Structures are given as structure tokens and as C-alpha cells.
Amino acid sequence: MLIAAHDPSDRDHRLSRLGTSWPVLETAIRRGEAGWRGATPDHGGDAAAQYAYRERLAALRAGQKVHHGWGNARLFQIELTVNPGHTVAFQTLSGDHRTGNPNLTPRTKTPRGPNGRLLLSGGEEDDQPSLFPDLLPQPVPDTAELTDPAGLAVWILLVHREAVAQDGSVLWHSELSLPRPPDERGYITGWLDRVTLPPVVFDAVVFPDEEEGPDGIDIPVGAR
């Protein structure tokens, strides 16, 4: 397994060969944290992670489109961004506490479903994408509906959010990695290649005194 440490020149060279850049990936992570902080208890128990995912995906797609000429795509109902030649695609998932550590092997936080296993197994599993094709989401105009995973290398922007109890700050650990097929339970536990990325740090959310009113809330999402 090839693992890239946090050496900027090595990291940037490897990302460039894949058709991306650290500024695009960092922006996606920062947008994800903004989405996380936009959720409230009224949105539901898993809203923060869902909001973070949606914002991260949107920023990843927008950055790849503007800076590297990629396009939106969907394969087996999984949202991707894909290069013009349809040879490399990115998706984004949450990983465990080992994410971003070049000395440890991470795994996905949750198991992949039948479509996720099908995507990362090159379409060779017995599971069918859907038994109810009429119920699938309708494609949006700027999203290519891919049908064949052959020849497509799907890399994962794997992220893990860590809240630091001592000062309330937040760290996002991440890597861009090429997975092996999921195990029998659907977890990704092995990787063919990994590009580990530097942690992204966010300050704690600062709440105002009651007399300041709700307009005084300060939610910094920049690096310290």
C-alpha cells in the first residue's frame, strides 16, 4: 500500500495526478463543517452529519467542476464527481478515528449498502442496483447517469470529525484514498492507495450573552 505523508510537495503532486488539488478538498471540508453547525436539534438526530455530507459533496463537485473541468455523475444511485474521460471519480464518506493517520488503517464509519458494494466491486456482485427502477430519483440536467463501473477508479474523500473537549475546537481528519471492495458486512477496511491530508482546524462556536440577543452569535469556520 502506498501512503503519502503530509509532505506538501508529495501530496500536491499526487493530487494533481488524480486531477484535483488540496484547496478544492479543503474547501469541501470547510463547507461540510458549516453544514454541520447549521443543524439544530429540531432538524433531527442525524441532521448534522447529513448536512455536512450534502455541503461537502456540493463543494467538492463545484470545486472539481470550476478548477479541474470535472462533472457531476451518478452510478448505482451514488453521487459522484467524475473526470472528463470517466476514468476517475470521487465520492465522500465518513471514516473512523484512524482516518488521515498514515500509520493506521481506517475503515468507513458505516457499512455500504448493496449499491455501494456494487460500485466498489466493479459491478461484479450479485446484488442488483434496484428492484424498483420506477422509484429511483430522476436525474437532474447536469448529472451524468453512468451505467458501467468498468474502467472507473472511484476514490473516496474520507473524513472524520473530532471535537476537542478541552477548548471546544473541532478537527476534521481526511484522506483521498482508493478502497478495496467492502468486506462481507459492507465496511471498507482496506485500501489500495492513500493520500493522507492535513487536519483542518475550526474554532469553537462562541455563543453570546443573553442580553446581546440572537444576532450576536459568532460561528467561525476559518483555520486558527
Side-chain angles (χ1 to χ4, degrees):
M1 182 196 309
L2 299 176
I3 299 177
H6 296 327
D7 175 74
S9 60
D10 181 32
R11 178 198 71 210
D12 292 345
H13 175 68
R14 304 229 22 232
L15 293 179
S16 178
R17 289 186 62 186
L18 286 171
T20 188
S21 57
W22 171 234
V24 168
L25 302 180
E26 182 183 12
T27 297
I29 293 168
R30 292 189 178 280
R31 282 274 300 277
E33 174 64 13
W36 183 287
R37 297 188 181 197
T40 72
D42 291 338
H43 289 97
D46 62 347
Q50 287 294 322
Y51 279 33
Y53 164 76
R54 292 296 178 185
E55 290 294 332
R56 191 170 62 249
L57 173 66
L60 178 63
R61 283 175 153 179
Q64 286 297 113
K65 191 180 302 181
V66 171
H67 297 286
H68 301 286
W70 289 35
N72 297 350
R74 187 185 294 110
L75 179 57
F76 303 142
Q77 304 177 58
I78 295 173
E79 304 292 345
L80 307 169
T81 177
V82 66
N83 69 353
H86 289 185
T87 57
V88 178
F90 297 159
Q91 67 173 145
T92 182
L93 299 172
S94 293
D96 66 6
H97 66 280
R98 304 174 184 88
T99 300
N101 189 329
N103 299 313
L104 299 174
T105 302
R107 58 182 285 174
T108 48
K109 188 175 181 179
T110 57
R112 309 301 295 140
N115 287 356
R117 295 196 297 271
L118 192 64
L119 174 69
L120 300 178
S121 300
E124 296 179 357
E125 288 198 346
D126 293 334
D127 302 90
Q128 295 299 316
S130 176
L131 297 178
F132 306 101
D134 292 340
L135 302 180
L136 297 184
Q138 294 302 308
V140 296
D142 64 344
T143 299
E145 291 289 341
L146 306 180
T147 58
D148 187 0
L152 181 67
V154 180
W155 288 68
I156 295 175
L157 176 59
L158 193 70
V159 299
H160 175 73
R161 187 181 192 268
E162 176 189 0
V164 181
Q166 290 84 346
D167 61 4
S169 62
V170 170
L171 297 177
W172 280 89
H173 305 279
S174 63
E175 58 186 74
L176 187 64
S177 299
L178 182 65
R180 296 182 182 276
D183 65 15
E184 65 279 0
R185 295 178 298 169
Y187 288 95
I188 300 172
T189 60
W191 309 87
L192 297 169
D193 202 353
R194 299 172 63 200
V195 182
T196 56
L197 304 169
V200 181
V201 184
F202 298 87
D203 290 329
V205 177
V206 178
F207 292 96
D209 295 332
E210 289 185 7
E211 59 268 20
E212 292 181 10
D215 292 337
I217 295 178
D218 177 23
I219 305 179
V221 294
R224 295 189 296 182

